Amino acid sequence: MPIPPEVTGEEIDKDVRQELQSLPRTLAEDVAKNLVMVARLIDEDPEAAYGYSKVALRLASRVAAVREAAGFAAYANQKYGEALAEFRAARRMTGTVELWPVMADCERGLGRPEKALDMAGAPEVHKLDKAGQVEMRLVAAGARRDMGQLDAAIVTLQSPELASRSTQPWSARLRYAYADALLAAGREREAREWFAKAVEADRDGSTDASDRLAELDGIEFTDALDESQTEDEDLAGTEADGARRDGGPGGR
């Protein structure tokens, strides 16, 4: 797959670059460039990112960072079985537990919420950092909802991190998930309150909490392009009516 000339491979994280030092220099550069493309495209064009990840995987399947990148690319394309296999491989290579939450979410994607809940109760969770534990809580709540256990999902999300007034990287998503679970359970007033709290914490627009809040408040947004198109259509209609009155095309 083509690599833009401005991509050098130096853009990757220094820890990944260190991993690639086990490869011949030219090969390491090629792998690094493909990993850069995966990182660049995984949100805006996950299919393309997946393609670059497969190239990197073909070149260096024994590098943990490559297996992890391939896992996330597959995950972004909802290829959950493939993603889970890559995450397991990366975990075997590194011995770390950082991927545990996303591995559990792959189990959800494969239609196995019970397995995800088993993982949420495993000893590995206690080895996660705070962000990882919050992520695991989100996955567990999602698994509860998959099983139709709305009240249990709500309880799962209730935590010191949810109650905290400080804003952390996970705050918006945690509050959003709680609001969404409340709304699904028919607790609209509480849901509105928590969507508002999610908006306060969502500094980078990672959720659509503001849209959900507006929806609950009965506010409708009109796309500016649609407004312009409507005005053009109204103007065209007025001109046509004038032409008919003046005996132009369509007039009598």
Side-chain angles (χ1 to χ4, degrees):
M1 298 182 69
I3 304 288
E6 69 272 14
V7 174
T8 65
E10 294 296 319
E11 301 89 341
I12 62 173
D13 183 85
K14 63 179 182 180
D15 292 334
V16 177
R17 193 180 305 120
Q18 187 173 3
E19 275 194 70
L20 295 178
Q21 288 180 356
S22 62
L23 303 174
R25 182 175 178 178
T26 302
L27 179 60
E29 289 176 355
D30 289 342
V31 174
K33 289 178 182 180
N34 279 280
L35 292 181
V36 170
M37 294 306 296
V38 173
R40 283 190 176 187
L41 296 171
I42 196 164
D43 291 327
E44 62 185 59
D45 190 351
E47 188 174 350
Y50 178 75
Y52 284 105
S53 77
K54 298 300 282 187
V55 175
L57 193 60
R58 187 175 69 249
L59 295 174
S61 62
R62 295 185 179 182
V63 176
V66 172
R67 302 303 289 266
E68 184 175 329
F72 278 110
Y75 179 82
N77 284 274
Q78 299 182 5
K79 299 177 183 291
Y80 298 116
E82 185 176 333
L84 184 57
E86 296 300 342
F87 290 142
R88 284 174 173 166
R91 183 168 180 267
R92 284 195 301 271
M93 293 174 179
T94 62
T96 64
V97 296
E98 294 176 1
L99 296 171
W100 197 252
V102 70
M103 289 169 63
D105 205 40
C106 286
E107 295 288 2
R108 284 187 59 211
L110 291 168
R112 301 193 292 246
E114 298 88 351
K115 178 62 177 176
L117 288 176
D118 288 343
M119 294 180 69
E124 284 82 355
V125 176
H126 301 295
K127 300 177 184 178
L128 294 168
D129 60 13
K130 182 62 67 176
Q133 290 179 3
V134 170
E135 194 66 33
M136 193 71 247
R137 191 177 292 275
L138 289 167
V139 173
R144 291 291 185 188
R145 291 190 63 172
D146 293 343
M147 299 166 68
Q149 300 173 2
L150 287 176
D151 290 340
I154 291 170
V155 172
T156 299
L157 293 168
Q158 292 170 345
S159 61
E161 293 80 19
L162 179 67
S164 175
R165 294 185 178 182
S166 66
T167 300
Q168 302 295 334
W170 59 77
S171 297
R173 292 179 59 240
L174 183 59
R175 295 174 185 180
Y176 182 95
Y178 189 59
D180 195 45
L182 288 169
L183 188 60
R187 295 160 62 176
E188 186 172 316
R189 182 184 61 79
E190 295 171 86
R192 191 209 172 280
E193 176 186 348
W194 282 96
F195 275 127
K197 290 181 178 180
V199 170
E200 292 174 1
D202 195 0
R203 296 170 180 172
D204 59 359
S206 61
T207 75
D208 64 347
S210 59
D211 292 340
R212 299 292 299 277
L213 183 60
E215 183 180 337
L216 286 174
D217 288 341
I219 299 174
E220 294 185 5
F221 294 101
T222 303
D223 190 284
L225 182 60
D226 291 341
E227 278 188 358
S228 177
Q229 184 177 0
T230 300
E231 290 174 359
D232 290 344
E233 290 174 352
D234 290 344
L235 179 60
T238 301
E239 291 174 347
D241 288 344
R244 282 192 289 271
R245 286 195 297 272
D246 295 338
R252 293 179 184 271

